[in-house]
Amino acid sequence: MDLEKTHVPPSCTAQDVPTSRWNRTSRVRRSRVQRLFGVACLAFIAYAQWRQISSPGPDPASAPDVTVHGLSIKRLQEDLNVCAKLHKKPTDPIGYGRERNARYVDGHRPTLIRNATVWVGEPDRENGDSSWITADVFIEHGLIKQVSRDLDPQTLPSDVSVYDAAGRPLTSGIIDMHSHAGVHSLPTIRANDDTSELSTDITPYVRTIDAIQPTDYQLQVIKSGGVTTSLVLPGSGNNIGGEAFVIKHAVGRADGRNEISISDLLADPDRNWRYMKMACGENPKHIHGKVGERGPTSRLGESWELRHAFKQASKLLQEQDDWCQAASRDLNRVKGYLPNEIRWEALVGVLRGQVHVNVHCYTVPDLEAFVDHTNEFKFPVRAFHHAHQAYLVPEVLKRAWGDDPPALALFADNMWYKAESYIASEYAGKHLYDNGLVPIYVSDNPILNAQHVVLEAAKAYKYGLPYHAALASVTSAPAERLGLGQRLGKVKAGFDADVVVWDSDPLSLGAAPVQVWIDGTAQYEHPFELNKSFRGTITPDPNLATIVENPTVLHGDVIFTGITKLLIPNDSNSNLPITSPANVLPATFNLTISEGRITCLGICPFPPNTTDTASIKATTRIIHLRNGHITAAFTAIGSTLGLNSIDDDRTATDNGAGPTFSRALDGLALDTAKLRAAQRYGVTRAISAPKLLPGDVRSHHGTSVGFLTGALTVTATTGTTGAGAKGGAVFQEDVAVHYTLDQTVKTLNGVSTSGEVGRLRAKLLRAVAGLGKGRTTTGHGTDHEEAFLKRVVTGEMPLAVTVHSADTILALLRVKAVVEQRAAATAAEGIRMVILGGGEAHLVARELAEAGVGVVLAPMLSFGVSWDQRRALTGAPLTNGTGLDVLVDAGVVTAVGLEEDWVVRDLGLLAGIAHANSGGGIGEKDALGLVSGNVYRMLGLQEPDVREHFIIHEGSPLEIGSRVKVVGGGLGHVEVY
Ligand SMILES: *[C@@H]1O[C@H](CO)[C@@H](O)[C@H](O)[C@H]1NC(C)=O
Ligand SMILES: *[C@@H]1O[C@H](CO)[C@@H](O)[C@H](O)[C@H]1NC(C)=O
Ligand SMILES: *[C@@H]1O[C@H](CO)[C@@H](O)[C@H](O)[C@H]1NC(C)=O
């Protein structure tokens, strides 16, 4: 009723058209003239508003306009039309057979992309398997029209614009099936966060389309990673979070659109399918439950909330169906209008199979309970998201209601951040695939930067998922799950012309687009292109399918053969026992180890005549590698490794101490899942500082401890005695004094950046003034902060500040200068300062280099997630290099740190990206130095002995297809995988 009222044109209302005639309580008969006029007006309105109403209805002059129950026949007929809509089951919209893409903007020229190496996205008829083909791609009216070899330009329209791909890889646009871009715009500002409607737990009636900010610059950053389509989901705070929408990343005229609007972003303007987000587990119960007042406070309560909601929806559905059936026979049989309730409308849509359900669910009980709900209420789930434990229960997933079991939308190796992500495996994708389920990799932007969601797929390949399934996991698989599998995710005639030409295989480290087309429109006029020569696509390595999760620990003598490269800088390999003529290593050489220590490198055993197996000790193990690469072991700096098992759980972590200054040494707790993973990936040492805030693993306050990640306790490196066991786990009790000056301090009451910079200056000046008065070397007691600061102002101990803002970094450099000036009389050296974070450090690279301040980038590839990082450089094709390139170029000693602990597996990969995308500025050994030697250089610490801290990789550690095979972690043994 409201609808009609609000849409009555003024000329009609002026004539007192009886809106009350639509009021059920009114039975007033009016004059025929009035009636005719009213009907004419309403006919006009109906024509304008509801074009689907085609039949003019009964002749108003002769037929009654109300039923025996006094209901408007016109309105009942409209309701009957709604019935038809309610019972319409959507199907996937067609791709092939369209004249033009509904999103096509007139005037855009057709395009021929010549000479590309094309990933079609489905198995080749001849080869049987998916593979790369050489082809030209012709695009017109926003559609891919032809994909074939050597298309003759003569046969194409004369205004075709030609793009020469020069043999480089071309894929369909990447699809991110889990994003909050637009609803959590960046940089994060509370006022801009519209991710979740938290007023109550069950909100199927809210829609992200009402909040997407087209001006969110992150939409552009994401596209620069080749992502053309995202599913923008509500958050996971609610058991039912609301409707989600699929958008494309072309915004406004600059991107070839006619206007800036949310509806213009919609990937399917016809909205064939609808989407909904649901969630289970930790978030809803923690956000909504209040003991004694409201649920859910437990998973028990969550299932009740969900079932109760589905029950409401199914009741309404039944009422609607009954009504439609009765009304379709005889309008006089119904006593009211079609039942509807905006609160449950979308959820009824779910039960009618019109809405694709995506559920955030991690653990076995969450997954199993939800699978039960699907069977109780008979609706399918398109994908379980996050789903870290899904790989443990493929059979449970297959019991979900519907034809296809849910897909799994995953991170490759981001885990441990909460209890429900504690049990997890980087091999999950492979396990699921092997069990006939579909893994899909997603960003959860801004949890991960969706710009690099293709890296998640690349890591999945590294962790054993077949190459073609990894590429499908960010293209055709999410397209199919979105119900857009005939339009998106493949490079075939009839598909939307969303394509990316890459500078390298998209699953290789550092792969970046050189051009992106959305609906046939090139998105970059002047893209930055990395200086990278394309050397062909990856040849999938079947060996990656073999997974060794647990190491073989070898204490005695081991010979490793088949080593091809030593990737240790000359200045740190001086103590390596290289045994070969003139110290020139042969193309393929050996390495021997005894008690976890390298004893020979080159021609080994030495002299060569001892190589006959008889003379090698019977106990000696021989392990053959195909393409062994030796590097120094990696060091993790900036994380909470050793202090924290589950990031946000207070009982499993050395909690943030707030203003209390503490020593990480005092909270060190070893032998955790995180540390085992560190060891597994060659990160044999970590330097960790206490957190400032309980919930924030990125904040630091107190002194950091340096320790061996493979040790069992602080005093015992292993259960057995060995050479490496002597020193215990800790190699440096107090490495650096840490403070935090990033945006986390602003969340503390009464704290400002200026106030904190001033406090730090005052503390340092007080330490200078106190020099000579009871100078302690190891701080204990209540004033130990000052004792440590005395060591800082004399240059004995580094000062590490967690900070991103270029302006705050400059303020710190001023503090450094002032304190050094004051201390000049007493202190031998200046302050050794290290910046942790450094999202905007590139803006002050020259100043940092001049002041001799090192930078630990954490993350290495900032994307301005917080306000104080908003000027981060996100890399090609948007920016000329990243902050890392600028810092290295300026001569700043730079390392790569961990902004969260899960990154520990990725340190080698990050070095690979740094190398690949440096345009030659960062050599292989320099790149590895970012995660090893440079950490020590900037802190003024001695590097670990490479004879005891080393990694042997199968393949180049700087490439995606390599595997860590052997780790020497200073423990008196090696671990072999
Ligand atoms: C395609 O590109 C490759 C690599 O640049 C080049 O060698 C080849 O000649 C090109 N083919 C054609 C037909 O242009
Ligand atoms: C490597 O070790 C194997 C096995 O002992 C031996 O046969 C081979 O000659 C060695 N090669 C080199 C370069 O030392
Ligand atoms: C990108 O940066 C590099 C290094 O600073 C510089 O040499 C080059 O000219 C820049 N390229 C462009 C296109 O600005």
Side-chain angles (χ1 to χ4, degrees):
M1 266 184 263
D2 282 338
L3 198 66
E4 283 88 350
K5 271 188 204 165
T6 49
H7 285 83
V8 171
S11 61
C12 291
T13 44
Q15 295 298 322
D16 185 29
V17 170
T19 48
S20 59
R21 78 174 16 271
W22 301 102
N23 189 319
R24 254 183 262 186
T25 57
S26 169
R27 296 281 188 277
V28 185
R29 288 268 158 187
R30 295 176 187 263
S31 82
R32 206 171 162 211
V33 176
Q34 244 185 331
R35 247 171 59 195
L36 270 174
F37 180 79
V39 170
C41 271
L42 288 157
F44 168 77
I45 297 160
Y47 175 74
Q49 302 292 329
W50 303 283
R51 274 183 296 169
Q52 70 266 34
I53 301 175
S54 45
S55 84
D59 175 5
S62 57
D65 56 358
V66 291
T67 65
V68 294
H69 296 292
L71 300 173
S72 154
I73 287 174
K74 189 152 195 71
R75 181 161 171 211
L76 290 172
Q77 268 155 358
E78 281 159 17
D79 277 359
L80 272 178
N81 286 335
V82 175
C83 283
K85 276 197 202 161
L86 289 179
H87 293 102
K88 192 163 168 250
K89 182 91 203 302
T91 51
D92 289 2
I94 62 156
Y96 195 77
R98 288 181 290 172
E99 283 286 304
R100 49 190 268 154
N101 179 338
R103 286 180 46 84
Y104 174 67
V105 171
D106 281 329
H108 287 260
R109 287 164 62 190
T111 302
L112 174 67
I113 305 173
R114 278 194 59 248
N115 194 17
T117 303
V118 175
W119 184 262
V120 173
E122 60 187 35
D124 186 51
R125 248 177 257 122
E126 274 133 53
N127 295 328
D129 210 354
S130 307
S131 59
W132 293 94
I133 59 167
T134 300
D136 299 340
V137 177
F138 174 59
I139 289 167
E140 193 181 30
H141 297 135
L143 297 175
I144 295 171
K145 285 286 174 73
Q146 288 185 68
V147 181
S148 67
R149 203 179 261 273
D150 302 326
L151 275 178
D152 180 2
Q154 302 299 318
T155 65
L156 303 177
S158 56
D159 62 340
V160 69
S161 96
V162 178
Y163 180 94
D164 185 3
R168 288 178 292 193
L170 182 152
T171 65
S172 74
I174 300 300
I175 299 170
D176 182 4
M177 206 177 148
H178 190 136
S179 185
H180 303 296
V183 290
H184 178 155
S185 17
L186 301 186
T188 304
I189 288 186
R190 244 189 64 201
N192 287 349
D193 182 359
D194 291 301
T195 319
S196 293
E197 173 52 42
L198 297 177
S199 50
T200 188
D201 180 44
I202 302 290
T203 61
Y205 45 82
V206 303
R207 314 175 295 186
T208 56
I209 196 173
D210 297 323
I212 294 169
Q213 308 250 15
T215 56
D216 180 1
Y217 185 64
Q218 179 65 5
L219 293 170
Q220 299 296 337
V221 172
I222 292 170
K223 176 170 64 188
S224 76
V227 178
T228 53
T229 304
S230 295
L231 175 61
V232 180
L233 292 160
S236 51
N238 299 350
N239 279 125
I240 299 185
E243 279 192 76
F245 290 81
V246 185
I247 63 161
K248 290 201 188 179
H249 289 253
V251 186
R253 287 182 184 274
D255 295 350
R257 310 302 301 168
N258 277 334
E259 61 177 36
I260 295 179
S261 76
I262 308 176
S263 57
D264 187 67
L265 298 176
L266 293 180
D268 173 15
D270 300 325
R271 305 202 199 181
N272 284 284
W273 288 107
R274 296 165 74 185
Y275 307 87
M276 188 174 288
K277 171 79 174 286
M278 302 188 189
C280 40
E282 287 183 31
N283 292 1
K285 68 172 179 166
H286 286 156
I287 288 171
H288 290 286
K290 189 143 187 247
V291 175
E293 284 183 23
R294 60 173 182 266
T297 65
S298 68
R299 289 186 160 88
L300 290 66
E302 290 188 31
S303 274
W304 153 254
E305 298 288 345
L306 284 163
R307 295 174 61 229
H308 181 256
F310 280 115
K311 192 71 207 171
Q312 303 308 304
S314 63
K315 266 201 288 203
L316 179 54
L317 181 149
Q318 195 57 55
E319 284 165 24
Q320 290 177 338
D321 285 358
D322 293 347
W323 188 96
C324 291
Q325 202 179 24
S328 66
R329 287 200 203 125
D330 179 356
L331 290 181
N332 284 318
R333 287 169 76 146
V334 294
K335 298 197 173 108
Y337 295 106
L338 174 66
N340 210 342
E341 215 180 319
I342 194 165
R343 175 177 285 268
W344 299 118
E345 182 277 331
L347 201 54
V348 171
V350 167
L351 299 180
R352 293 193 183 281
Q354 298 163 340
V355 184
H356 283 335
V357 175
N358 288 276
V359 195
H360 156 126
C361 257
Y362 283 76
T363 65
V364 173
D366 290 325
L367 293 164
E368 192 151 2
F370 210 96
V371 163
D372 273 358
H373 307 330
T374 69
N375 286 306
E376 183 177 357
F377 296 98
K378 302 197 171 24
F379 65 95
V381 167
R382 298 299 282 189
F384 282 116
H385 293 236
H386 297 299
H388 272 306
Q389 295 181 12
Y391 78 101
L392 298 172
V393 290
E395 299 314 319
V396 170
L397 299 172
K398 289 175 191 171
R399 288 204 291 270
W401 194 85
D403 300 333
D404 298 317
L408 291 312
L410 308 169
F411 298 137
D413 53 9
N414 182 349
M415 53 184 74
W416 310 319
Y417 44 90
K418 49 164 52 176
E420 59 192 15
S421 66
Y422 187 63
I423 295 176
S425 168
E426 64 269 44
Y427 308 113
K430 174 194 163 47
H431 291 316
L432 290 163
Y433 180 84
D434 289 349
N435 279 287
L437 295 162
V438 177
I440 289 171
Y441 287 88
V442 296
S443 72
D444 197 6
N445 191 85
I447 298 300
L448 298 180
N449 177 3
Q451 179 193 358
H452 300 301
V453 72
V454 73
L455 176 63
E456 296 303 293
K459 286 189 278 185
Y461 162 66
K462 178 187 187 69
Y463 298 135
L465 186 66
Y467 178 88
H468 67 87
L471 258 179
S473 76
V474 285
T475 53
S476 50
E480 189 274 328
R481 289 282 111 177
L482 291 172
L484 297 171
Q486 296 179 50
R487 290 193 174 175
L488 305 178
K490 292 182 186 175
V491 183
K492 281 179 71 178
F495 279 68
D496 286 8
D498 303 337
V499 297
V500 182
V501 173
W502 302 84
D503 64 7
S504 50
D505 186 305
L507 297 189
S508 64
L509 292 176
V514 292
Q515 185 57 275
V516 176
W517 288 260
I518 294 183
D519 303 306
T521 305
Q523 297 293 300
Y524 299 108
E525 218 170 310
H526 302 293
F528 286 104
E529 199 176 311
L530 294 165
N531 176 12
K532 211 186 263 188
S533 56
F534 175 58
R535 296 191 312 264
T537 51
I538 291 173
T539 306
D541 179 359
N543 293 302
L544 291 175
T546 307
I547 286 169
V548 183
E549 294 203 45
N550 298 310
T552 307
V553 175
L554 297 178
H555 292 274
D557 297 340
V558 195
I559 301 175
F560 295 96
T561 72
I563 316 270
T564 58
K565 205 154 185 180
L566 180 63
L567 281 171
I568 295 174
N570 290 335
D571 54 351
S572 33
N573 74 15
S574 53
N575 54 8
L576 275 179
I578 296 180
T579 323
S580 68
N583 272 1
V584 177
L585 291 166
T588 301
F589 52 95
N590 288 358
L591 175 139
T592 62
I593 284 166
S594 184
E595 308 264 305
R597 191 180 170 92
I598 297 177
T599 50
C600 169
L601 188 68
I603 299 173
C604 323
F606 192 82
N609 59 6
T610 60
T611 54
D612 64 290
T613 35
S615 62
I616 297 173
K617 270 192 278 175
T619 52
T620 299
R621 292 279 298 265
I622 302 181
I623 294 177
H624 301 290
L625 300 165
R626 290 183 304 276
N627 183 21
H629 283 56
I630 305 173
T631 68
F634 304 150
T635 295
I637 179 165
S639 70
T640 60
L641 288 173
L643 299 174
N644 190 349
S645 296
I646 302 172
D647 293 0
D648 78 348
D649 189 281
R650 285 166 179 251
T651 51
T653 166
D654 180 42
N655 229 355
T660 309
F661 189 92
S662 64
R663 301 169 75 198
L665 174 67
D666 294 334
L668 199 57
L670 302 175
D671 193 25
T672 65
K674 289 179 179 179
L675 292 174
R676 281 189 287 278
Q679 185 73 6
R680 167 73 183 85
Y681 288 87
V683 183
T684 64
R685 284 176 158 212
I687 296 169
S688 300
K691 290 186 286 184
L692 172 65
L693 300 176
D696 191 346
V697 292
R698 296 174 174 90
S699 63
H700 307 100
H701 188 64
T703 66
S704 47
V705 63
F707 65 99
L708 307 188
T709 60
L712 291 181
T713 69
V714 170
T715 51
T717 48
T718 57
T720 62
T721 53
K726 273 179 263 159
V730 175
F731 67 85
Q732 184 90 10
E733 292 194 344
D734 298 285
V735 175
V737 180
H738 291 253
Y739 294 98
T740 293
L741 275 170
D742 71 1
Q743 88 289 340
T744 49
V745 298
K746 298 185 194 168
T747 63
L748 299 169
N749 278 340
V751 172
S752 64
T753 305
S754 50
E756 284 304 284
V757 171
R759 269 157 58 100
L760 181 58
R761 179 171 46 228
K763 282 180 188 175
L764 290 166
L765 289 174
R766 207 162 40 235
V768 171
L771 283 180
K773 300 179 201 157
R775 188 171 151 188
T776 49
T777 47
T778 312
H780 292 290
T782 50
D783 69 341
H784 65 285
E785 177 175 10
E786 190 171 342
F788 286 118
L789 287 175
K790 284 180 185 171
R791 295 170 63 187
V792 166
V793 296
T794 56
E796 286 171 61
M797 209 174 154
L799 176 67
V801 185
T802 300
V803 57
H804 288 288
S805 154
D807 307 295
T808 312
I809 292 173
L810 288 179
L812 285 166
L813 294 183
R814 288 195 298 273
V815 168
K816 179 176 184 293
V818 164
V819 174
E820 283 173 349
Q821 202 180 17
R822 189 76 65 83
T826 22
E829 295 195 36
I831 295 177
R832 185 181 282 279
M833 186 183 273
V834 168
I835 301 297
L836 251 169
E840 292 190 353
H842 59 277
L843 292 172
V844 291
R846 191 173 43 84
E847 290 86 343
L848 287 165
E850 278 168 11
V853 172
V855 175
V856 178
L857 287 174
M860 181 178 92
L861 300 171
S862 172
F863 60 112
V865 71
S866 59
W867 183 256
D868 58 0
Q869 302 181 56
R870 70 191 182 282
R871 293 173 287 182
L873 296 178
T874 54
L878 274 184
T879 66
N880 186 14
T882 64
L884 173 68
D885 301 309
V886 176
L887 290 170
V888 170
D889 195 42
V892 176
V893 179
T894 309
V896 170
L898 290 69
E899 81 278 22
E900 288 182 356
D901 296 353
W902 63 268
V903 180
V904 74
R905 291 188 179 88
D906 292 4
L907 288 183
L909 303 180
L910 290 172
I913 293 169
H915 169 65
N917 289 4
S918 68
I922 303 176
E924 290 183 314
K925 291 176 184 177
D926 294 337
L928 291 161
L930 297 170
V931 292
S932 52
N934 288 10
V935 174
Y936 298 89
R937 269 175 70 199
M938 71 173 73
L939 293 169
L941 291 180
Q942 202 186 341
E943 273 186 57
D945 184 343
V946 282
R947 285 172 299 182
E948 293 188 350
H949 286 271
F950 62 89
I951 312 169
I952 309 178
H953 312 257
E954 186 69 277
S956 167
L958 301 170
E959 284 172 16
I960 193 71
S962 66
R963 278 270 171 86
V964 169
K965 290 297 285 188
V966 185
V967 177
L971 304 172
H973 62 242
V974 288
E975 299 188 347
V976 181
Y977 297 90

